[in-house]
């Protein structure tokens, strides 16, 4: 916040108003809340079927929803495409359908997760344990984070290794192809 001068009855009165950074933070938070609400309401019946490129993914997701069993060993999905093309919405719709069957699901935006874990070490262990054990996990926007050994090895690697060992299904969305993600995750100490 900053002090902002205003005139009232020929007097200057200073009051605190949000600075441009606070306004930007509030706008981002508002956009995130709107996005979270949209994703929580996403439904398979609301998906636009006019884009024929989506049909193989939609068939796969429908089949996954119909055949998913908590006790089974199911492969997840790595879905990549351009920003705003609906990757997260598609998987959210499938997760919402499966939530009706009492299947636990979680969507984490990877850059935000890493920021939250850095700033709140008190909940670190509980949060990691939850992400390791939720039935279905979507790691949203992998590749948008700044890669460090800590984020890659201690966070992402730990979660994924535990999920793999315990046959937990994990989904990913990214703006990067799998090859681009592989390059992104490499930390070159010679630079």
């Amino acid at each position: 916040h900053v002090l902002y001068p205003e005139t009232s009855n020929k007097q200057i009165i200073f009051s605190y108003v949000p600075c441009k950074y606070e306004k930007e933070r509030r706008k981002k938070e508002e956009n995130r809340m709107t996005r979270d609400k949209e994703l929580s309401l996403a439904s398979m019946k609301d998906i636009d079927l006019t884009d024929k490129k989506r049909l193989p993914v939609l068939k796969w997701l429908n089949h996954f929803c119909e055949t998913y069993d908590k006790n089974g060993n199911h492969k997840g999905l790595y879905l990549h495409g351009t920003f705003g093309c609906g990757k997260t919405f598609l998987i959210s719709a499938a997760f919402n359908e499966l939530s009706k069957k009492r299947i636990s699901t979680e969507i984490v935006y990877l850059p935000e997760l890493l920021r939250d874990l850095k700033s709140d070490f008190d909940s670190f262990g509980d949060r990691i344990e939850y992400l390791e054990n939720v039935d279905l996990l979507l790691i949203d926007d992998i590749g948008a984070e700044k890669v460090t050994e800590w984020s890659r090895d201690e966070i992402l690697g730990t979660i994924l290794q535990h999920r793999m060992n315990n046959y937990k299904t994990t989904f990913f969305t990214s703006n990067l192809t799998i090859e681009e993600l592989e390059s992104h995750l490499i930390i070159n100490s010679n630079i």
Side-chain angles (χ1 to χ4, degrees), residues 14-144:
F14 287 90
S15 57
Y16 281 102
V17 297
C19 68
K20 68 179 181 179
Y21 302 108
E22 176 62 12
K23 287 178 185 175
E24 184 178 307
R25 186 197 66 78
R26 287 181 183 180
K27 184 162 180 67
K28 283 182 182 177
E29 179 66 16
E30 186 178 300
N31 289 341
R32 186 188 63 76
M33 289 173 56
T34 301
R35 179 178 175 261
D36 288 351
K37 184 175 182 181
E38 288 173 0
L39 293 179
S40 72
L41 299 174
S43 172
M44 294 296 277
K45 66 179 169 54
D46 295 332
I47 294 173
D48 178 17
L49 300 175
T50 59
D51 185 352
K52 301 301 179 201
K53 293 178 194 172
R54 289 183 176 185
L55 291 181
V57 173
L58 290 173
K59 286 179 182 178
W60 189 94
L61 287 171
N62 275 326
H63 178 73
F64 183 87
C65 289
E66 291 170 2
T67 61
Y68 180 77
D69 172 15
K70 278 186 186 188
N71 301 318
N73 184 5
H74 303 277
K75 288 187 178 186
L77 182 66
Y78 182 86
L79 195 54
H80 70 91
T82 58
F83 176 79
C85 70
K87 302 176 294 288
T88 305
F89 186 87
L90 290 174
I91 296 174
S92 296
F95 277 21
N96 291 339
E97 296 297 320
L98 290 163
S99 292
K100 295 174 188 174
K101 299 177 184 177
R102 301 204 183 283
I103 295 165
S104 62
T105 64
E106 186 66 36
I107 299 172
V108 293
Y109 175 63
L110 187 57
E112 186 177 325
L113 170 67
L114 297 171
R115 278 192 307 273
D116 290 350
L117 290 173
K118 280 182 187 176
S119 68
D120 186 8
F121 281 110
D122 293 338
S123 67
F124 184 91
D126 292 338
R127 186 77 193 265
I128 296 295
E129 183 179 347
Y130 173 73
L131 295 174
E132 289 173 339
N133 293 300
V134 67
D135 294 328
L136 298 173
L137 175 65
L138 168 58
I139 298 178
D140 189 27
D141 216 3
I142 189 168

